[in-house]
Amino acid sequence: MTHRVALLPGDGVGPEVIAEARRAVDALGLSLEWTELPWGSAHLHAHGRMMPADALETLETHDAILMGAIGDPSVPDHISLWGVVLEIRQRLDLWANVRPARLLEGVPCPLAGRTPTDVDMLFVRENTEGEYSGIGGRAHQGLASEVAVESSVFTRQGVERVLRYAFELAAGRRGVLTSATKSNASRYGYVLWDEVADEVAAEYTGVRYERVLVDALAARMVRDPAGLDVVVASNLFGDILTDLAAAIQGGMGMAASANLAPGSGRPGLFEPVHGSAPDIAGRGVANPAGAIWSAVLMLEHLGETGAARTLLTALEDVCREGPRTRDLGGSAGTAEVGEAVAARLR
Ligand code: IPM
Ligand code: MN
């Protein structure tokens, strides 16, 4: 069976890193067909919208979506992001955002004395509700009495499915699940989150479950990352914690993500976490590792477990032996690193 993959290079460094992810996947020689979709900020300027009106229908005819990044200084972020990535997450109901934060050999860690054995965390971020529900409004704009309201939404169903998925993943790893909460200050949303977590935890007796306030968890990630295995968090907490996790694993250029609707058959969306990085766009210096790692997660989603392992090993080898991009202390460009990964696969 041929896998159909929608390719959204997007804005900024997106096209540069996605080209390398594609080159690496192509080198694996799988039966895979790409549909390149030129959506993003340039599409907005040319056609008045970030992606076409039937974009979701187009994506649904694919098995997976590999995306670079969205965001350009010429478009307000809340327009560009609600026009593509947040829209896709919500409309395809991609409720789990899975982000491995593992320090690879050869990648410098900003935490003194930490080595790859200390940093192997897996973040599961709720991806459709919480603080990203998009519910709110503004009134009296421009007046002194101006008001903006933004509501967090937590549903029992939404919370339960992501917690259950995180418990499953923890059961298949080192058996520790840390739930990020803030139920000391929050009176409703995170209180529900904790109650549901307690209920689900009772079913997973083989997993050690702990509830940690998100502020304390941020400190713990820095002080003792080795004590963390799977971390489950709400949408906003997961967003913030995974930038911290990315820094601990060697920088934003290393971080990969999978947006999934487990068990649904809907296409997953795979993207590096670094964003469009307009400051370095077009210079061929962006680190393609996060995009290539995202392609690894995509291959797992497509059921190509062996190919995923092979690609991850090639990426690990290149991180250990070089070439490396400048963010990792090397001097290589994006394509040189991508070609080094692909060369190990041919
Ligand atoms: C991420 C990004 C997005 C998010 C932005 C670009 C909307 O920061 O994927 O982590 O906040 O989810
Ligand atoms: Mn983020």
Side-chain angles (χ1 to χ4, degrees):
M1 211 195 63
T2 302
H3 304 296
R4 301 196 63 217
V5 178
L7 195 70
L8 273 74
D11 299 329
V13 297
E16 298 166 50
V17 296
I18 282 301
E20 302 315 319
R22 179 180 182 161
R23 191 207 302 253
V25 171
D26 284 342
L28 289 162
L30 301 169
S31 174
L32 190 147
E33 199 178 283
W34 304 98
T35 310
E36 188 156 343
L37 301 166
W39 303 343
S41 299
H43 191 277
L44 174 77
H45 294 310
H47 307 287
R49 41 190 311 152
M50 295 290 293
M51 50 184 196
D54 61 355
L56 276 301
E57 286 79 4
T58 302
L59 294 176
E60 276 179 320
T61 66
H62 292 80
D63 304 310
I65 307 158
L66 184 61
M67 195 178 93
I70 294 295
D72 186 84
S74 65
V75 184
D77 284 339
H78 67 281
I79 305 283
S80 58
L81 297 165
W82 278 98
V84 184
V85 62
L86 298 175
E87 171 82 354
I88 296 173
R89 286 176 185 170
Q90 291 221 350
R91 296 277 304 281
L92 293 183
D93 197 23
L94 302 176
W95 48 267
N97 194 324
V98 179
R99 301 184 164 188
R102 186 156 69 83
L103 178 65
L104 303 188
E105 282 174 45
V107 174
C109 181
L111 302 182
R114 299 295 178 191
T115 65
T117 51
D118 298 311
V119 181
D120 182 4
M121 301 174 279
L122 182 67
F123 286 79
V124 181
R125 164 184 175 188
E126 198 292 317
N127 211 34
T128 54
E129 50 178 53
E131 308 82 354
Y132 283 60
S133 297
I135 293 178
R138 289 175 67 171
H140 317 307
Q141 285 194 35
L143 304 183
S145 57
E146 182 164 3
V147 53
V149 176
E150 184 116 30
S151 298
S152 289
V153 173
F154 292 89
T155 66
R156 173 172 282 277
Q157 200 188 43
V159 170
E160 185 178 334
R161 63 185 178 181
V162 77
L163 281 161
R164 195 171 287 285
Y165 187 60
F167 271 100
E168 287 291 333
L169 292 175
R173 287 174 46 105
R174 301 194 297 278
V176 183
L177 181 68
T178 304
S179 172
T181 189
K182 191 61 192 171
S183 47
N184 55 350
S186 147
R187 302 168 72 169
Y188 311 109
Y190 288 105
V191 176
L192 172 66
W193 177 283
D194 289 352
E195 283 173 15
V196 176
D198 285 344
E199 288 170 25
V200 179
E203 294 173 38
Y204 289 86
T205 47
V207 174
R208 183 160 66 77
Y209 157 70
E210 55 172 3
R211 168 206 292 184
V212 180
L213 295 170
V214 67
D215 44 355
L217 181 56
R220 223 177 100 183
M221 283 171 62
V222 172
R223 296 181 61 90
D224 181 26
L228 295 166
D229 179 15
V230 177
V231 177
V232 64
S234 68
N235 215 332
L236 182 61
F237 290 173
D239 177 49
I240 298 166
L241 293 176
T242 54
D243 264 35
L244 176 56
I248 295 171
Q249 73 177 130
M252 293 308 295
M254 295 303 301
S257 78
N259 299 257
L260 307 169
S264 71
R266 287 194 295 284
L269 166 69
F270 303 84
E271 47 170 351
V273 181
H274 52 60
S276 60
D279 51 324
I280 57 163
R283 289 165 44 198
V285 297
N287 186 352
I292 294 170
W293 201 334
S294 299
V296 171
L297 301 177
M298 179 182 83
L299 293 173
E300 286 169 3
H301 167 77
L302 294 172
E304 296 284 359
T305 320
R309 180 94 300 271
T310 305
L311 179 53
L312 183 56
T313 302
L315 179 64
E316 287 170 334
D317 290 347
V318 169
C319 286
R320 189 187 320 107
E321 283 153 41
R324 295 183 202 96
T325 44
R326 297 186 316 188
D327 53 314
L328 304 183
S331 59
T334 311
E336 195 185 330
V337 174
E339 178 50 33
V341 173
R344 289 174 178 269
L345 302 168
R346 290 195 193 103

